[in-house]
């Protein structure tokens, strides 16, 4: 079909997640017809992201420095650590504006079927952080699925004997939705986690 | 061409991420054996049935038949064991190994396997109900699963000559216990208690099984796992994560 540089570009784009052969072809032709300056900016951004971005040495969130913006922020408390699976989850929690503590990015969830055990995650590093003794509460914000729940169970088993409060994010009804459309599992969890109105 | 709709009840064995918000669900159905289906949009918080398609759940579902992968169109939960299992880490690791074993014991998709379906469902139910230690449930499941597949280790006679009795040597290539005259070179010599435990687990004698000590359980589970993996001709990835303490 296509040959040379265009074929190479379509093949490389097709390797990206969520992009199929048609999508790769469409993006390749867009690049071909786009302004050279814009494409230089894109190529530069791709190169820079690989050269500059690494993980924070404390929380393992993505960062361009040894310590990420959140770990460097002196206004945030060391007493609360929120444990998430991926860096994307840090952004999701940050968007709430409700949390002023630090984070710890595990790098996934325990999933024996995929060959991911506790040793493949940054659990040892989390335990080292907790042993420093400044943490009072560990908030487990792993995904609300079976792997995320099992990871939270495992972490709670490890951390509770250290005298640190371990909490889990609540599951429940989405804001703005109708009760009648909630599935029975989510509604059941919302009932379990109901709160007394002051 | 209009695609066929069909319905079955199934146990969810595993889910894998697909694209932005979809899952590929691997399951074993009562009538259709092992199946894989795409569940669209289930990773979004607005999904109507994502919670019902979590691993280890017993579900009633309607599927649109596909050439390689079916498509999930409707799901109702029958018994969703996933959460209760995930609340016990040892149960979770055992359930993962049960799921992987079920997948490996059903190499051909769409081939009915009613006994394995019932066995898998029963094992997950007792795991969720904390009826027995998780590692014992897993070992019993593997022994009974192998029995259905025709590879059960022979434990009450010599696997080579058929001489009845509680023989002491165990040979995986020979197919189980072997008598003194037949035992091939390299046969294992497990403790009589370990073989006794394997006999108890094979028939579901939980009282005898639970009387065993940790060392004997580890010895028996090692033999069971080695026997299963020898017949499957591949390792089970999840077995190394099973909590056996």
């Amino acid at each position: 079909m296509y040959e040379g540089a265009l074929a190479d570009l379509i093949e490389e784009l097709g390797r990206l997640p969520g992009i199929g052969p048609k999508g790769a072809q469409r993006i390749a032709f867009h690049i071909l017809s786009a302004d050279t300056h814009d494409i230089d900016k894109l190529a530069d951004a791709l190169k820079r992201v690989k050269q500059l971005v690494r993980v924070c040495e404390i929380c393992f969130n993505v960062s361009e420095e040894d310590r990420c913006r959140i770990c460097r922020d002196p206004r945030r408390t060391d007493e609360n650590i929120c444990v998430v699976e991926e860096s994307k989850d840090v952004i999701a929690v940050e968007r709430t504006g409700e949390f002023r503590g630090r984070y710890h990015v595990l790098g996934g969830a325990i999933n024996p079927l995929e060959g991911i055990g506790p040793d493949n995650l940054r659990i040892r590093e989390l335990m080292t952080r907790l042993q420093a003794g400044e943490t009072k509460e560990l908030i487990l914000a792993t995904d609300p699925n079976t792997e995320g729940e099992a990871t939270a169970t495992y972490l709670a088993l490890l951390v509770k004997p250290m005298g640190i409060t371990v909490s889990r994010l609540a599951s429940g009804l989405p804001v703005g939705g109708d009760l009648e459309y909630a599935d029975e599992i989510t509604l059941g969890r919302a009932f379990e986690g109901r709160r007394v109105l002051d | 061409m209009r695609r066929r709709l069909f319905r079955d009840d199934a146990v969810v064995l595993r889910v894998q991420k697909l694209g932005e918000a979809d899952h590929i669900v691997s399951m074993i159905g009562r009538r259709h054996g092992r199946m894989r289906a795409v569940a669209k949009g289930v990773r979004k918080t607005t999904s109507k049935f994502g919670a019902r398609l979590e691993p280890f759940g017993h579900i009633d579902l309607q599927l649109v038949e596909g050439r390689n992968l079916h498509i999930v169109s409707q799901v109702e939960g029958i018994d969703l064991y996933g959460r209760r299992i995930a609340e016990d880490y040892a149960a979770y690791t055992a359930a993962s190994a049960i799921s992987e074993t079920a997948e490996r014991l059903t190499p051909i998709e769409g081939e009915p396997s009613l006994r394995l379906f019932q066995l898998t469902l029963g094992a997950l139910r007792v795991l969720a109900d904390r009826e027995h230690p998780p590692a014992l449930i897993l070992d019993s499941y593997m022994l009974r699963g192998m029995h259905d597949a025709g590879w059960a280790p022979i434990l009450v006679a010599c696997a080579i000559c058929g001489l009845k009795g509680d023989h002491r040597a165990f040979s995986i290539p020979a197919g189980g216990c072997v008598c003194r005259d037949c035992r091939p070179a390299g046969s294992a010599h497990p403790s009589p208690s370990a073989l006794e435990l394997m006999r108890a687990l094979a028939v579901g004698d939980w009282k005898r099984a639970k009387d065993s000590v940790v060392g004997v359980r580890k010895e028996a589970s090692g033999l069971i796992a080695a026997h299963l993996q020898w017949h499957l001709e591949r390792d089970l990835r999840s077995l190394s994560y099973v909590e056996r303490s």
Side-chain angles (χ1 to χ4, degrees):
Chain A
M1 297 268 273
Y2 303 105
E3 52 188 42
L6 185 59
D8 291 346
L9 180 61
I10 292 171
E11 195 184 319
E12 290 306 318
L13 289 169
R15 289 177 202 267
L16 298 175
I19 298 180
K22 279 275 179 201
Q25 194 174 297
R26 200 161 51 240
I27 296 167
F29 275 97
H30 171 78
I31 290 170
L32 205 57
S33 61
D35 188 68
T36 309
H37 175 68
D38 291 342
I39 299 307
D40 284 344
K41 271 178 29 188
L42 174 66
D44 188 45
L46 286 171
K47 272 189 189 160
R48 272 168 26 90
V49 79
K50 281 305 285 179
Q51 283 165 357
L52 299 178
V53 177
R54 51 197 146 147
V55 292
C56 168
E57 62 184 17
I58 296 177
C59 72
F60 301 95
N61 189 11
V62 286
S63 171
E64 288 194 15
E65 294 177 43
D66 290 343
R67 294 186 176 192
C68 71
R69 179 182 53 81
I70 294 169
C71 288
R72 289 197 313 267
D73 189 345
R75 293 166 300 172
R76 301 187 77 115
T77 175
D78 287 319
E79 291 185 352
N80 304 324
I81 293 181
C82 178
V83 178
V84 294
E85 290 183 18
E86 307 288 350
S87 292
K88 292 178 285 186
D89 303 329
V90 172
I91 305 300
V93 178
E94 280 295 284
R95 274 204 304 262
T96 66
E98 296 283 333
F99 181 65
R100 298 299 301 158
R102 312 283 185 188
Y103 291 92
H104 190 87
V105 181
L106 288 175
I110 298 172
N111 188 348
L113 285 164
E114 300 296 329
I116 303 169
D119 291 343
N120 304 108
L121 304 175
R122 296 178 189 118
I123 292 175
R124 202 174 296 122
E125 292 85 346
L126 173 65
M127 299 309 286
T128 307
R129 281 181 80 181
L130 296 178
Q131 275 156 7
E134 289 180 60
T135 311
K136 291 191 175 152
E137 184 181 5
L138 190 72
I139 302 160
L140 301 174
T142 48
D143 288 346
N145 53 29
T146 307
E147 294 83 18
E149 295 291 348
T151 307
T153 302
Y154 181 82
L155 289 174
L157 277 174
L158 289 184
V159 176
K160 274 186 185 167
M162 298 169 84
I164 295 168
T165 303
V166 180
S167 58
R168 178 91 175 107
L169 286 193
S171 294
L173 299 166
V175 175
D178 285 4
L179 197 71
E180 65 173 307
Y181 293 119
D183 67 88
E184 68 274 21
I185 299 128
T186 309
L187 193 53
R189 292 224 191 163
F191 258 95
E192 270 178 29
R194 68 189 184 274
R195 62 191 166 86
V196 176
L197 292 175
D198 297 328
Chain B
M1 192 180 79
R2 200 168 160 191
R3 293 206 274 181
R4 189 176 73 98
L5 280 171
F6 67 100
R7 193 173 158 181
D8 202 350
D9 68 308
V11 174
V12 179
L13 300 176
R14 79 159 88 190
V15 295
Q16 288 165 299
K17 287 181 181 176
L18 176 72
E20 286 283 312
D22 306 340
H23 267 156
I24 294 177
V25 185
S26 173
M27 54 203 146
I28 181 165
R30 186 184 294 273
R31 289 181 292 280
H32 295 85
R34 188 165 64 82
M35 304 177 277
R36 287 186 311 143
V38 175
K40 292 188 175 172
V42 288
R43 281 155 58 203
K44 291 182 183 168
T45 52
T46 49
S47 167
K48 282 295 292 167
F49 52 66
R52 298 173 194 143
L53 286 169
E54 282 293 300
F56 319 134
H58 181 204
I59 52 174
D60 181 0
L61 77 170
Q62 181 171 273
L63 296 151
V64 181
E65 192 176 60
R67 206 173 296 163
N68 297 317
L69 292 168
H70 306 308
I71 296 167
V72 179
S73 69
Q74 287 179 37
V75 189
E76 285 296 326
I78 299 172
D79 282 307
L80 301 171
Y81 300 124
R83 187 179 177 202
R84 278 190 286 153
I85 287 173
E87 284 170 350
D88 177 347
Y89 186 69
Y92 171 68
T93 56
S96 299
I98 285 171
S99 288
E100 192 177 358
T101 305
E103 280 189 330
R104 299 284 170 248
L105 290 174
T106 48
I108 301 167
E109 285 187 27
E111 195 172 83
S113 184
L114 179 61
R115 285 172 65 96
L116 191 69
F117 165 80
Q118 289 171 327
L119 188 65
T120 308
L121 181 57
L124 294 174
R125 185 187 60 74
V126 290
L127 270 179
D129 291 346
R130 318 264 198 280
E131 282 183 27
H132 310 298
L136 288 184
I137 294 170
L138 169 64
D139 289 339
S140 179
Y141 174 84
M142 290 198 291
L143 281 169
R144 296 191 213 189
M146 283 191 279
H147 182 268
D148 289 344
W151 312 324
I154 293 166
L155 300 167
V156 292
C158 172
I160 294 173
C161 69
L163 178 69
K164 293 248 183 314
D166 294 347
H167 305 295
R168 294 283 308 276
F170 190 91
S171 167
I172 291 170
C177 291
V178 280
C179 69
R180 193 172 294 206
D181 296 333
C182 296
R183 71 180 170 205
S187 298
H189 290 83
S191 67
S193 309
L195 292 172
E196 192 60 32
L197 173 59
M198 286 170 71
R199 288 182 197 109
L201 290 171
V203 296
D205 183 346
W206 292 104
K207 190 182 174 309
R208 261 201 307 158
K210 282 197 267 195
D211 284 343
S212 59
V213 295
V214 173
V216 168
R217 289 180 189 183
K218 284 191 174 169
E219 201 181 348
S221 63
L223 282 178
I224 295 165
H227 193 86
L228 175 65
Q229 291 176 122
W230 193 84
H231 283 283
L232 290 174
E233 296 179 347
R234 63 185 295 176
D235 287 349
L236 287 178
R237 199 147 59 160
S238 52
L239 268 186
S240 58
Y241 300 103
V242 174
E243 286 268 305
R244 294 190 180 272
S245 52

